[in-house]
Amino acid sequence: MFTVIGAIACFERELMLERQREGIAKAKAEGKYKGRKPTARARAAEVNALKADGVRPVEIARRLGIGRASVYRVLAA
């Protein structure tokens, strides 16, 4: 009994994900779905300038309002 219910739930989940992918593809085709705007990489010049001034990565993140991991990612690139 539980196997049948689990199979139905799995099938419904696959249908839901398929409808979601179709909706995203349609929105992209219409130019309405652009995704999230990059924040840290857009401020890479500021991150590098602060690092050149000797500011620690944690302080750079705090000053610019971005994540610490994002600062490290920009510095590594």
Side-chain angles (χ1 to χ4, degrees):
M1 183 72 168
F2 288 119
T3 304
V4 174
I5 293 172
I8 293 170
C10 184
F11 177 70
E12 180 60 32
R13 176 78 175 146
E14 289 174 11
L15 289 177
M16 185 177 68
L17 291 174
E18 183 179 337
R19 290 191 302 268
Q20 182 180 13
R21 282 190 293 269
E22 290 171 359
I24 290 172
K26 181 182 174 188
K28 282 184 179 181
E30 295 172 357
K32 295 180 181 178
Y33 185 90
K34 296 182 177 102
R36 182 171 177 221
K37 185 176 180 182
T39 55
R41 292 186 182 160
R43 303 181 86 176
E46 294 175 68
V47 170
N48 289 324
L50 287 171
K51 182 63 177 171
D53 290 340
V55 180
R56 294 177 48 224
V58 175
E59 182 61 27
I60 293 172
R62 189 175 298 123
R63 287 186 190 180
L64 298 180
I66 58 178
R68 189 181 75 234
S70 297
V71 173
Y72 286 116
R73 191 177 310 115
V74 169
L75 293 175

